Amino acid sequence: CRSETRPTRNGRLRERTDVWHVARVLTTLHALIDRSNIRAIVDRERTGSGSEGPAESPSNTYKMLGYFSIVGLVRMHSMLGDYYSALAVLGNIDVSRKGMHTRVPACHISLSYYVGFAYMMMRRYLDAIRTFSNILLYISRTERYHSRSYQYEQMMRKSEQMFALLAMTLALCPQRVDESLHMALREKYGDKSTRMQRGDESV
């Protein structure tokens, strides 16, 4: 409710300590996904076919809630250390292609971060490098368009974190990357990258 003041809202949240309980959050996200029928919709849009029955959502609101609940689940599972589930829950959603997540730049960046991190932790280094490289190139191309966004600082923090993760992943699995990324990595982590590749654990 818009008329509710922040102190009042915060007080209510303090009284309900179970609101953000992990099991409750996971149950809610799964319920929204099931109710929205979003998996069938994504399958139909991606492959041109899907499970039996109409691939429709009760409403556009449910469709959006279902889709972004999948994004929320990816983040939850990644933060909980269940990297297999974080990737499995995506289903046919390809983070490198246009989708509902790309309509919100902060969501696009955050989703790529958690997917790339999950790949890295599962030692799928090539997939992690590809994911980090794609989103970092996207950020470099579009940064000036988001400079006035209230989420700009958050997006830039995620960008810096992904540069660090990309440097670590490349140290574990050396690969050629885009020249602009290579130059940025040399500028940010040149000496550290060399030391990591030599197995220096003090970095």
Side-chain angles (χ1 to χ4, degrees), residues 60-178:
N60 190 57
T61 300
Y62 265 116
K63 181 180 178 181
M64 290 293 192
L65 282 171
Y67 192 94
F68 289 105
S69 290
I70 291 176
V71 174
L73 274 179
V74 173
R75 181 178 180 182
M76 283 286 296
H77 285 306
S78 184
M79 293 175 71
L80 291 170
D82 187 355
Y83 305 111
Y84 177 84
S85 294
L87 297 175
V89 77
L90 278 173
N92 269 337
I93 296 176
D94 186 344
V95 296
S96 66
R97 296 189 178 187
K98 285 187 176 181
M100 280 187 270
H101 63 282
T102 60
R103 299 179 190 177
V104 185
C107 175
H108 185 195
I109 293 167
S110 180
L111 178 60
S112 296
Y113 169 84
Y114 287 107
V115 169
F117 185 75
Y119 279 138
M120 188 182 79
M121 295 303 291
M122 292 181 68
R123 298 184 181 182
R124 292 174 59 176
Y125 299 127
L126 292 177
D127 289 324
I129 291 168
R130 174 178 50 81
T131 302
F132 290 138
S133 296
N134 287 342
I135 194 61
L136 288 169
L137 287 171
Y138 163 80
I139 293 171
S140 68
R141 290 194 306 266
T142 62
E143 180 180 350
R144 64 182 181 276
Y145 300 119
H146 307 307
S147 59
R148 294 185 179 181
S149 170
Y150 71 97
Q151 295 177 315
Y152 178 74
E153 290 186 7
Q154 178 186 351
M155 290 189 287
M156 290 303 100
R157 282 197 299 272
K158 274 285 179 277
S159 174
E160 289 300 316
Q161 291 171 352
M162 285 189 285
F163 265 116
L165 291 173
L166 179 60
M168 292 167 58
T169 311
L170 286 170
L172 294 167
C173 181
Q175 297 290 320
R176 291 181 63 86
V177 294
D178 186 88

